Amino acid sequence: MSKFVKIIMFWSAVVPLLFTVSADEVDNFIKDVQVSTFDCPADDSNPRVDNYLMDSGITLEQSIKLKVHKAHWLICVGSTEKAKQLILGLLAENMLSQASESYASIHYQLGFIFDVNDDPRKCEYYQLSKQLSKDKFGDIYLSSQLGLITECGADKQDFGVKLGQLFSLIEAYSQQGNIKALAHIHNNIGLLYSSIGQRVLAAEEYEKSYRLGLTVYEEKNQLAPLISIISALTGSGDFDNAKRMIDELGEGNSRVNTPLTNSWYHFALSRHYYVTENYEEMKKSLSKWNIFLTQISNQEMTKIYDWYATAVCLHYKDKGCVEAFLDKQNDINTAMTARFSRQERYLGFLVKAYLFMENIEAAKGSFDKYTSISLEKMRRQQGSGRVLGVAHLHNRISGLETNLEEFERKRWQAAFIILGITFCFALLAYWTVGRAYLKKLATDPLTGLLNEQVVLSKIRKIKSTNSERVNTLVLINVSNLGDIQSQYGSTESKNLLTQLASCLKHATRDLDIVGRVSADQFIVCLQDIQESIAKESFNRIESALSNLAVVSKKRQNIEPVIVMHVYNANTGLSDVDEVILEIRKNRHKVT
């Protein structure tokens, strides 16, 4: 053996000994970086964890604690698959004491990972970690309890019992003054409300969790509840407040800037554009989201991304893209997770996708699931004593049912071609012209808004709200329209009305009812909305109209005088004709 080789071998054996850390240093580090199960380790601790794990001088117990800490950190940054493999490796080594905190912790972590991926094994591990931590490790015990209450035993336990258990925990931890635990419990109350479709109540609990967390968590850990708030607000149809919370998430993310928080932000933004059908902006957000998704291992978010990307394909009628997604749903490894495959919005999307692909049987199957889940959700809402969004669900069911019926008619029309090409083309022409004619009958020809007959008919069908929400009517009158027509001519007055209608379209939401009710009057109806949000919407409409700038062909400024009248009620609006008549009798400007 050469002298050079001997020197290398000597130093390769000696150098690790020279740099081996002391046991006290590692113990102190583990103590300093340890956090509760409902908190997240600091990102800057991870490089030192990796360095210590490579050190040959650490003890077996230290190695186990460092790996458990790393698994916790991996879960927090969204790398759940890597965390799972690390934990399974620890269990395979069979070196952990079953009485240790590490053993209880990794069983809770496995339960959480299975929970994220909607794996039914979550309940088994939550139960085991609860037994292992009872009377010994309080944070693990609480987290395990919350997992079991919120996610398990849905068919065996009454919702009221679960809610009672959570409020008992609130009382107990309030006496202890444990703010982190209280934030964690409020988040789970939100999850429980979400499970029965009570989105408004869920949003309130998530916001409590968020506000409490602001006082005790680092900024990165403060952002997670925002995703839940945004989801609940979106689910309740409160898109304006959802967008405001998305903007708040974006501001926080700009300071934190991790792959996971970036993924959260673009997920929330993509979903917002999806539910508001803004596909151009959705495409931009999806392209950014995809970059960050590749940096984390979260199967569920990846599948949601595929769904949203396919929704864009469906909008632009990309048949190959839609077909590829639907093929994935037949494979258990690539299909949407069970948690999302039971959502009305996803099932509604499947109905439309299958109709687009002309697979009527699959569309019917998805529609049947949609109806079953929607009706079950309504039943559970009624059982909880607060019925929220039932009429909205009925409308969505009816809309999908109409799509199916329409598709069924088209399929029969195609079949009739075999019996007679001439007859089929005549029928198709009648169908096309008839639809166009019906649309024309429903629309004001000048502004494109709903005409008086149709808009008032829709408003009359609106039902009463609960005590915390209102139905709002806004009657808008161009009081000097006659003068404008006399001074500038009918062409300019028509141009003014067209621009005013365009203003109203942009200042209102898709679910608002907007129409023209006379030559110089328009109406906006905001249904089943919080009074404060109704006021904000009214201010937004007023601001848009006050900034309406109309210039004649001769470069003269046309100054319309806009008078607005507002009517709020908790009752239904079957008497809308009387309300409008009363407003017209007592006109006054609202400023």
Side-chain angles (χ1 to χ4, degrees):
M1 186 181 295
S2 69
K3 182 177 180 182
F4 179 70
V5 172
K6 289 179 180 178
I7 291 172
I8 290 177
M9 291 179 66
F10 170 78
W11 283 110
S12 66
V14 170
V15 168
L17 296 176
L18 294 176
F19 293 97
T20 297
V21 295
S22 69
D24 288 344
E25 179 186 335
V26 180
D27 285 339
N28 289 334
F29 171 77
I30 292 172
K31 183 178 179 181
D32 289 341
V33 299
Q34 187 172 14
V35 294
S36 63
T37 53
F38 35 87
D39 201 347
C40 281
D43 292 331
D44 57 10
S45 67
N46 192 56
R48 288 186 66 183
V49 169
D50 289 336
N51 289 336
Y52 287 143
L53 285 172
M54 290 188 294
D55 194 292
S56 60
I58 64 172
T59 66
L60 175 62
E61 183 180 359
Q62 289 172 335
S63 175
I64 290 170
K65 288 182 178 180
L66 289 169
K67 288 178 180 178
V68 172
H69 178 87
K70 185 175 179 67
H72 189 170
W73 177 80
L74 287 168
I75 291 170
C76 283
V77 297
S79 298
T80 53
E81 190 58 33
K82 290 181 181 178
K84 178 182 172 183
Q85 295 307 316
L86 181 57
I87 293 169
L88 293 177
L90 277 170
L91 290 172
E93 292 171 3
N94 201 26
M95 303 293 287
L96 285 82
S97 165
Q98 294 190 13
S100 68
E101 184 175 8
S102 294
Y103 191 74
S105 180
I106 60 175
H107 281 80
Y108 168 74
Q109 289 176 3
L110 273 179
F112 185 83
I113 292 169
F114 289 138
D115 197 348
V116 168
N117 293 308
D118 201 26
D119 188 317
R121 288 177 289 177
K122 60 190 176 186
C123 297
E124 173 189 343
Y125 282 93
Y126 281 151
Q127 184 62 45
L128 187 53
S129 61
K130 178 185 174 184
Q131 293 170 357
L132 291 167
S133 60
K134 186 177 181 181
D135 300 326
K136 291 190 293 184
F137 315 117
D139 62 310
I140 302 175
Y141 184 70
L142 173 60
S143 294
S144 302
Q145 276 185 296
L146 294 176
L148 286 167
I149 294 170
T150 310
E151 298 294 336
C152 304
D155 299 328
K156 299 176 182 178
Q157 271 189 317
D158 179 76
F159 170 80
V161 174
K162 288 173 172 281
L163 194 59
Q165 290 172 334
L166 291 175
F167 279 116
S168 293
L169 290 173
I170 288 282
E171 185 178 357
Y173 283 91
S174 294
Q175 292 173 357
Q176 297 176 21
N178 190 330
I179 303 299
K180 287 186 177 182
L182 288 171
H184 196 30
I185 299 166
H186 277 294
N187 182 71
N188 278 263
I189 294 175
L191 289 171
L192 193 59
Y193 278 131
S194 290
S195 71
I196 61 163
Q198 300 284 15
R199 304 293 185 182
V200 175
L201 296 177
E204 292 174 1
E205 293 300 323
Y206 290 141
E207 184 152 5
K208 289 176 186 176
S209 175
Y210 174 58
R211 300 302 171 192
L212 287 169
L214 290 176
T215 64
V216 291
Y217 289 132
E218 294 181 0
E219 191 164 42
K220 180 188 71 174
N221 302 336
Q222 295 169 4
L223 298 182
L226 278 172
I227 288 291
S228 299
I229 299 172
I230 293 163
S231 297
L233 290 172
T234 301
S236 70
D238 190 353
F239 302 139
D240 292 340
N241 276 326
K243 184 59 169 65
R244 276 193 283 274
M245 299 308 289
I246 291 171
D247 292 340
E248 188 167 339
L249 174 61
E251 291 175 9
N253 177 58
S254 66
R255 296 187 292 271
V256 176
N257 196 28
T258 67
L260 181 62
T261 57
N262 273 291
S263 188
W264 286 346
Y265 173 60
H266 289 292
F267 157 61
L269 204 56
S270 298
R271 179 174 53 190
H272 176 75
Y273 291 136
Y274 176 47
V275 298
T276 56
E277 298 183 352
N278 188 341
Y279 291 99
E280 283 299 318
E281 291 300 324
M282 188 178 172
K283 281 171 60 179
K284 298 174 187 177
S285 185
L286 283 170
S287 65
K288 295 175 183 176
W289 184 17
N290 191 35
I291 295 170
F292 298 107
L293 267 180
T294 59
Q295 300 174 39
I296 63 174
S297 59
N298 189 310
Q299 297 176 11
E300 186 170 271
M301 291 196 81
T302 300
K303 291 176 180 179
I304 297 170
Y305 169 85
D306 289 341
W307 164 20
Y308 290 172
T310 308
V312 174
C313 295
L314 182 60
H315 177 73
Y316 291 106
K317 303 187 184 307
D318 184 341
K319 206 162 189 175
C321 169
V322 175
E323 184 176 21
F325 176 82
L326 294 176
D327 286 343
K328 284 184 177 181
Q329 305 317 301
N330 298 320
D331 185 337
I332 192 171
N333 296 315
T334 55
M336 184 62 70
T337 62
R339 190 198 308 269
F340 276 86
S341 64
R342 294 189 297 267
Q343 282 195 0
E344 296 102 325
R345 186 170 284 121
Y346 174 70
L347 288 169
F349 163 77
L350 284 183
V351 174
K352 294 174 184 177
Y354 282 124
L355 287 176
F356 174 65
M357 298 303 297
E358 301 183 5
N359 187 341
I360 187 67
E361 295 306 319
K364 282 183 174 179
S366 295
F367 177 73
D368 288 343
K369 291 180 184 176
Y370 179 96
T371 304
S372 175
I373 287 171
S374 297
L375 293 176
E376 172 61 18
K377 182 176 178 180
M378 284 187 275
R379 184 192 66 77
R380 295 175 69 184
Q381 285 178 330
Q382 289 170 334
S384 69
R386 288 174 61 97
V387 183
L388 303 175
V390 173
H392 182 55
L393 281 171
H394 271 305
N395 289 340
R396 281 158 57 183
I397 291 173
S398 299
L400 287 174
E401 192 169 26
T402 301
N403 285 342
L404 277 166
E405 290 172 354
E406 181 182 346
F407 187 88
E408 189 71 26
R409 284 194 295 270
K410 288 182 178 180
R411 189 175 71 158
W412 280 110
Q413 288 168 9
F416 289 155
I417 294 176
I418 301 172
L419 302 177
I421 294 176
T422 304
F423 176 74
C424 180
F425 272 107
L427 186 62
L428 187 60
Y430 172 77
W431 173 252
T432 304
V433 172
R435 280 173 61 86
Y437 179 67
L438 289 174
K439 184 176 181 182
K440 184 177 180 181
L441 287 178
T443 305
D444 174 56
L446 175 62
T447 63
L449 301 176
L450 296 176
N451 62 29
E452 181 175 6
Q453 181 180 359
V454 175
V455 73
L456 294 183
S457 175
K458 284 180 174 287
I459 293 173
R460 289 188 199 104
K461 296 176 183 177
I462 292 174
K463 306 299 182 184
S464 299
T465 68
N466 63 38
S467 60
E468 299 175 359
R469 301 170 78 83
V470 294
N471 294 316
T472 297
L473 289 179
V474 183
L475 193 67
I476 300 153
N477 181 56
V478 186
S479 64
N480 65 334
L481 183 65
D483 294 338
I484 292 172
Q485 187 165 345
S486 299
Q487 183 175 353
Y488 298 101
S490 61
T491 301
E492 298 296 357
S493 65
K494 288 178 180 178
N495 181 44
L496 164 65
L497 294 173
T498 302
Q499 292 191 46
L500 189 151
S502 178
C503 254
L504 289 178
K505 289 176 185 177
H506 286 91
T508 54
R509 308 168 302 172
D510 291 342
L511 51 81
D512 298 334
I513 301 173
V514 186
R516 186 183 181 193
V517 291
S518 71
D520 59 355
Q521 286 186 327
F522 298 81
I523 194 168
V524 177
C525 178
L526 315 173
Q527 53 183 315
D528 194 22
I529 191 170
Q530 292 179 7
E531 192 165 357
S532 59
I533 299 174
K535 186 176 180 181
E536 291 174 8
S537 300
F538 167 69
N539 290 338
R540 184 170 63 250
I541 293 169
E542 188 178 39
S543 175
L545 294 180
S546 66
N547 293 323
L548 180 63
V550 184
V551 181
S552 72
K553 291 181 180 178
K554 295 181 180 180
R555 301 294 178 184
Q556 296 172 297
N557 289 329
I558 300 176
E559 299 182 357
V561 177
I562 308 295
V563 180
M564 299 177 66
H565 313 271
V566 180
Y567 172 80
N568 289 329
N570 299 111
T571 59
L573 296 176
S574 58
D575 61 343
V576 62
D577 303 86
E578 289 82 356
V579 172
I580 292 176
L581 184 61
E582 187 65 26
I583 291 175
R584 286 171 175 168
K585 286 180 179 178
N586 302 283
R587 291 183 177 180
H588 62 279
K589 186 172 181 181
V590 178
T591 60

